Amino acid sequence: MTGTLVVGAGQAGVQLAVSLRESGDTMPITLMGAEPQLPYQRPPLSKGYLSGDTDADRLALRTAAFYADRGIELVTGERITALDTGRAVTDRGREIAFDRLGLTVGARVRRLRVPGAALDGVHHLRDLADADRLRTALAGTRPVVVVGGGFIGLEAASVARAHGRPVTVVEATDRLLGRAVAPVVSAFYAGAHARRGVRVLLDTGVTALDGTAGRVRSVHLTDGGELPAALVLVGIGVEPRTELATGLGLACPGGIPVDLDARTALPSVVAAGDCTLQPHPTGGGHAPVRVESVQNAVHQATVAATTLAGVARPTPEVPWFWSDQADLKLQIAGLAAGADEIVVRGDPAAERFAALHYRDGRLQAVDAVNSPADFLVVRRALATGTELPASAARRTDRPLKELLVA
Ligand SMILES: Cc1cc2nc3c(=O)[nH]c(=O)nc-3n(C[C@H](O)[C@H](O)[C@H](O)COP(=O)(O)OP(=O)(O)OC[C@H]3O[C@@H](n4cnc5c(N)ncnc54)[C@H](O)[C@@H]3O)c2cc1C
């Protein structure tokens, strides 16, 4: 009896190991993590941890005793460098035999490919070590340039601004958070950050970073402009780690392909979390998607565990996500895919509203800003298949929950 090897001890890897035990699986489990710390939560790295409100010891997902009590052998600070059928090799030269494999290797940050991108003072934010470096640098540095108007860049920009730093966000497309939210929400965030003193440049790319004595000093822009910069945070997305899967012979076109059971094309090999490419949750002919969220990592890993253990799969979940920027809490439920109608409830000017996405008259998703009740109503409606027609949602004189069609 050799057991299960889970490669990657992040949110998905931990959940896979724990859910295997909860499924009644008694085979040995090895959970391998390349990072030295106990597995931890990443969301606070661009929020409370970066701002100094949360300590490192509050980030851990579980205590060391938790894993030991469940017979999960947690190995930290050791990376799997090669995989073969039934055998793995680590960067310390250790060999590990397995008969079932979970790939929960996550993603790595995408890097700027311009001259000067490797200068000192240029930061990325994916793991705790990155957050520590950024937190230290933020304490003394000004001005700050954030490249990329996505969630992580905007959350970090809010923290830097709250610390009194001059901050400019440079976004190559015509709107913030463009991949995730409705245009009205993008426009709202551009205004909200500007009101808090963050300069937002849209439709603007970066052509080069300039430095003095190896340290970044300025950022050159596609419009010919130049921004002074003592600290640059690059937040332009992530790339799934697919090299181990590719080495096993799996074709990985932008993620490790899995089915609804989190199964790869190889027997006894599952994958979960940021590294996967999965069927679109709404089906309907949409292309497979990568979903980067805690909810997805946890749910997909739970599904993967039931697949390995041969027990019933849990019911599908509605994807959901959150982002904290300054005092603005954004909550998203559902995956918007090509909405043809957006219904706005509440008042963007009062920084409290929700944008409901519709396609062919069917509710798809909600982006709720400081509106937790609307978020919950839509999340529940999507989960239960309850209808919430656009014509009803437009009745802004009535609470959303009263407009559900039984
Ligand atoms: C700064 C930040 C803020 C975020 N905020 C939010 C948020 O507000 N809400 C939300 O829903 N999501 C948020 N996310 C996204 C969320 O954290 C991820 O979707 C989630 O962590 C994915 O979990 P994962 O286990 O798939 O991958 P990861 O958390 O990346 O874990 C993968 C682990 O595998 C390890 N690994 C990789 N290769 C190997 C190997 N060969 N051998 C051993 N170990 C290996 C890595 O070192 C890593 O520790 C945020 C992410 C970041 C970085």
Side-chain angles (χ1 to χ4, degrees):
M1 188 168 76
T2 40
T4 304
L5 173 64
V6 181
V7 187
Q11 198 90 47
V14 167
Q15 190 64 47
L16 176 45
V18 171
S19 293
L20 259 180
R21 283 289 176 261
E22 286 171 353
S23 304
D25 189 85
T26 54
M27 302 259 284
I29 300 174
T30 307
L31 174 58
M32 293 283 306
E35 294 182 71
Q37 307 86 359
L38 277 177
Y40 60 89
Q41 318 163 53
R42 289 184 203 284
L45 300 185
S46 50
K47 307 177 182 71
Y49 186 71
L50 191 60
S51 67
D53 294 338
T54 302
D55 297 331
D57 52 12
R58 299 204 33 211
L59 300 181
L61 287 165
R62 305 286 190 179
T63 61
F66 176 92
Y67 301 101
D69 289 349
R70 282 156 186 78
I72 297 167
E73 190 195 351
L74 171 65
V75 182
T76 54
E78 194 164 348
R79 176 179 294 278
I80 300 285
T81 50
L83 279 176
D84 214 334
T85 314
R87 198 184 65 102
V89 179
T90 77
D91 55 1
R92 297 194 186 163
R94 216 150 53 95
E95 286 198 13
I96 300 170
F98 61 87
D99 41 31
R100 299 183 307 185
L101 178 67
L103 291 172
T104 49
V105 286
R108 58 169 66 85
V109 291
R110 191 172 291 138
R111 292 180 184 266
L112 268 183
R113 295 188 202 287
V114 299
L119 285 166
D120 284 350
V122 178
H123 292 257
H124 298 83
L125 183 50
R126 178 72 192 178
D127 59 29
L128 191 50
D130 295 334
D132 284 335
R133 276 189 293 270
L134 183 59
R135 190 155 101 152
T136 307
L138 266 180
T141 327
R142 57 181 55 219
V144 174
V145 173
V146 174
V147 181
F151 289 113
I152 290 174
L154 292 177
E155 289 180 357
S158 307
V159 171
R161 189 66 206 125
H163 281 59
R165 308 282 166 246
V167 182
T168 305
V169 173
V170 179
E171 166 55 42
T173 70
D174 61 356
R175 62 186 182 104
L176 300 177
L177 306 172
R179 281 190 306 138
V181 300
V184 63
V185 180
S186 297
F188 165 78
Y189 272 97
H193 283 289
R195 284 194 290 281
R196 287 162 175 79
V198 175
R199 191 173 168 213
V200 178
L201 303 179
L202 300 176
D203 287 316
T204 309
V206 169
T207 55
L209 308 183
D210 237 344
T212 310
R215 257 208 98 69
V216 71
R217 196 175 41 87
S218 69
V219 177
H220 293 267
L221 306 173
T222 46
D223 64 4
E226 183 176 353
L227 297 171
L231 188 163
V232 174
L233 171 63
V234 178
I236 56 172
V238 295
E239 287 162 0
R241 291 182 193 269
T242 54
E243 56 278 5
L244 290 177
T246 309
L248 286 171
L250 290 166
C252 295
I256 304 173
V258 291
D259 64 13
L260 289 172
D261 291 318
R263 241 186 260 277
T264 69
L266 291 172
S268 303
V269 181
V270 294
D274 282 13
C275 62
T276 64
L277 187 65
Q278 59 179 297
H280 197 285
T282 58
H286 295 299
V289 282
R290 281 204 324 103
V291 182
E292 295 161 27
S293 72
V294 168
Q295 177 273 333
N296 176 67
V298 169
H299 180 70
Q300 206 180 19
T302 309
V303 170
T306 59
T307 297
L308 287 182
V311 300
R313 160 160 43 107
T315 42
E317 272 186 9
V318 174
W320 57 268
F321 184 83
W322 79 96
S323 172
D324 298 331
Q325 297 167 42
D327 51 349
L328 305 168
K329 183 163 208 69
L330 171 66
Q331 293 168 292
I332 299 174
L335 275 194
D340 51 28
E341 186 176 3
I342 302 287
V343 175
V344 176
R345 294 178 54 89
D347 183 6
E351 302 198 329
R352 185 181 290 273
F353 71 104
L356 281 69
H357 298 238
Y358 285 87
R359 184 182 164 116
D360 299 329
R362 291 197 77 87
L363 180 61
Q364 284 197 313
V366 65
D367 313 325
V369 177
N370 289 340
S371 302
D374 283 3
F375 163 76
L376 281 176
V377 170
V378 173
R379 188 174 141 192
R380 211 167 296 140
L382 291 171
T384 54
T386 312
E387 285 194 38
L388 182 49
S391 54
R394 267 188 241 107
R395 300 262 333 253
T396 51
D397 55 320
R398 292 181 56 193
L400 206 50
K401 65 171 188 275
E402 290 178 10
L403 301 169
L404 294 168
V405 176

